[in-house]
Amino acid sequence: MTDPLKLTADALQALDLETLMARARDMRDSHWGKTVTYSRKVFVPLTNMCRDTCGYCTFVKHPDDPAAQLMSPQQVLASAKRGEAKGCKELLFSLGEKPEKRYEKARAALAAYGYDTLVDYLSDMCRLVLDETGLLPHVNAGSLTEDELAQLKPVSASMGMMLETTSRRLMKKGMAHYACPDKTPVQRLRTLERAGRLEIPFTTGLLIGIGETWEERIEALHAIRESHLTYSHVQEVIVQNFQAKPGIAMEHHPEPSLQDMLKTLAAARLILPADVSLQAPPNLSARHLEYLSAGINDWGGISPVTIDFINPQHEWPEIRTLAENTARTGHQLQERLTVYPAYLKRSARFMAPELAQRAKAQARADGLALQQEEETCLTTTA
């Protein structure tokens, strides 16, 4: 196998796509076998207010927008219980980043529930979910300080933040991350490092097609690789394709092609350590099954109850259909928990005792979900 350190942008560019994908498949199969996983989860958009204004985002609403909201504890709990009733094991908190630092209305919304910061509120909502349901919280709160990460670790089984890119060019006026303080690459990388020091099972990844170059994509993958080699905390990496949406600043920006996705996924599989799960969202491409030929081993979170709030025009695939289609490629779809088996085995290091106990009670001997939904338990086809 090629030395990942020699997989420069030029070296990868020189390989034809079929060769690149074949090497990626071999690496995936040697570590992950023929099992492809997903997490059955309920998505809770705690707030859609944010101090950043990314050019590709349709999730965020200005506080003056009637659609801007901060979910109440009652709304959070109602969503959690709906998810639990549908067999979900994970609750994903998605939220804008630190809106209270920019907007008075965001501060007022938090104050109405007795809080000064969104992280404090998020922490208590995780605790509410733990106290009132059997779900495992996963937190996706963006760039965080070490104190904030330490505050959230005891109440969240895993956490995540998309690195997206290491390109500072995209911070310039007219680019995707203009006027977005939380998207400064150094801040994202610091959060990734802080999560490593605190031994948090972590999700990160790339958003491709937002103006970055091929060289910048490869640079970002190597940055993630180095962080994981230092701390062993990156349990999964997502490669997500930009989607043009009506009303966003990048409405007419071209979307990455299927070839872009396949090439980036294969490069990611070869650059990242083999134990890092590679994921791509199945709802953002009609031809998502082809991702399997580029080395992915996970479909990510799929909800039987809530929409994809980040990409609301793209419906989740029906899980039974995804299982059947995955089986036709020679793989078997299996449900996992928010914490991957390797981290559950090392729970004394990576998880608070309460969360580890809950996760282990929901896991079978191999660390995947004990209660597999019937539609995912299809046998592998030739």
Side-chain angles (χ1 to χ4, degrees):
M1 186 57 65
T2 305
D3 182 353
L5 294 178
K6 295 180 180 178
L7 291 175
T8 63
D10 287 343
L12 290 162
Q13 194 79 284
L15 293 173
D16 67 88
L17 183 58
E18 288 306 317
T19 299
L20 194 64
M21 290 168 61
R23 292 183 183 180
R25 288 195 299 274
D26 287 346
M27 184 172 174
R28 184 265 319 278
D29 292 347
S30 67
H31 187 86
W32 299 93
K34 293 297 183 180
T35 297
V36 176
T37 50
Y38 85 103
S39 177
R40 193 178 183 96
K41 64 179 70 173
V42 55
F43 286 72
V44 175
L46 190 61
T47 184
N48 55 8
M49 293 181 283
C50 182
R51 69 170 173 172
D52 301 318
T53 52
C54 300
Y56 47 77
C57 184
T58 190
F59 173 75
V60 168
K61 305 298 180 188
H62 189 278
D64 291 335
D65 190 318
Q69 57 86 32
L70 176 68
M71 291 179 71
S72 69
Q74 293 78 14
Q75 289 173 318
V76 169
L77 191 56
S79 290
K81 289 186 173 180
R82 282 198 304 272
E84 189 174 34
K86 288 290 187 177
C88 297
K89 286 86 173 171
E90 175 184 349
L91 183 143
L92 167 62
F93 277 110
S94 56
L95 54 149
E97 300 195 35
K98 299 179 173 61
E100 73 276 15
K101 290 195 172 184
R102 181 171 181 178
Y103 299 112
E104 172 56 36
K105 287 187 176 181
R107 290 192 290 273
L110 284 166
Y113 296 126
Y115 295 87
D116 294 325
T117 72
L118 185 56
V119 170
D120 285 345
Y121 186 49
L122 172 62
S123 177
D124 279 1
M125 291 305 96
C126 287
R127 170 48 59 191
L128 177 67
V129 168
L130 289 171
D131 288 346
E132 299 294 333
T133 75
L135 297 172
L136 291 163
H138 170 90
V139 165
N140 188 1
S143 297
L144 295 170
T145 67
E146 193 152 343
D147 286 345
E148 289 168 336
L149 287 163
Q151 178 182 354
L152 291 167
K153 181 176 178 178
V155 290
S156 55
S158 56
M159 297 189 216
M161 173 212 67
M162 292 289 279
L163 174 60
E164 297 189 8
T165 182
T166 51
S167 173
R168 286 192 55 81
R169 292 184 309 102
L170 300 190
M171 304 293 297
K172 295 180 180 179
K173 190 171 185 179
M175 302 298 279
H177 288 157
Y178 176 67
C180 299
D182 298 295
K183 295 302 175 75
T184 305
V186 67
Q187 294 295 347
R188 309 299 270 190
L189 290 168
R190 283 174 181 167
T191 298
L192 188 59
E193 181 183 1
R194 291 162 184 158
R197 286 200 299 266
L198 291 170
E199 299 181 319
I200 295 169
F202 209 71
T203 297
T204 189
L206 275 58
L207 178 59
I208 73 166
I210 57 172
E212 80 291 346
T213 65
W214 172 251
E215 290 75 16
E216 288 163 344
R217 288 184 200 175
I218 302 307
E219 178 186 82
L221 288 168
H222 277 289
I224 295 169
R225 169 187 164 81
E226 290 308 309
S227 184
H228 179 70
L229 289 177
T230 301
Y231 299 107
S232 303
H233 67 305
V234 179
Q235 61 171 0
E236 62 181 355
V237 166
I238 305 168
V239 175
Q240 181 172 327
N241 48 316
F242 160 75
Q243 292 283 302
K245 309 175 188 74
I248 62 172
M250 296 173 65
E251 180 176 357
H252 302 295
H253 188 80
E255 297 178 355
S257 66
L258 176 63
Q259 185 177 34
D260 285 332
M261 275 293 286
L262 295 175
K263 187 176 180 181
T264 307
L265 284 167
R269 182 63 288 162
L270 294 175
I271 290 170
L272 297 169
D275 63 327
V276 174
S277 176
L278 182 61
Q279 175 192 134
N283 63 319
L284 300 186
S285 172
R287 298 174 65 182
H288 55 266
L289 283 176
E290 296 194 37
Y291 296 164
L292 291 168
S293 64
I296 73 163
N297 60 277
D298 188 79
W299 290 121
I302 299 174
S303 180
V305 241
T306 47
I307 64 170
D308 180 350
F309 290 98
I310 309 302
N311 297 282
Q313 75 275 41
H314 294 280
E315 294 184 0
W316 300 117
E318 201 273 329
I319 295 172
R320 173 178 287 277
T321 301
L322 184 64
E324 292 171 349
N325 291 337
T326 299
R328 290 191 186 100
T329 70
H331 298 81
Q332 183 181 19
L333 186 67
Q334 291 281 286
E335 185 179 351
R336 61 169 171 83
L337 305 177
T338 185
V339 180
Y340 278 76
Y343 291 84
L344 194 54
K345 286 181 181 178
R346 296 176 289 169
S347 60
R349 172 181 172 187
F350 284 101
M351 301 179 72
E354 174 192 4
L355 295 166
Q357 182 179 13
R358 178 174 298 199
K360 287 178 179 178
Q362 296 180 11
R364 63 193 192 193
D366 63 359
L368 296 178
L370 177 64
Q371 289 291 121
Q372 293 282 328
E373 295 303 314
E374 182 180 357
E375 62 263 30
T376 69
C377 297
L378 299 174
T379 57
T380 304
T381 59

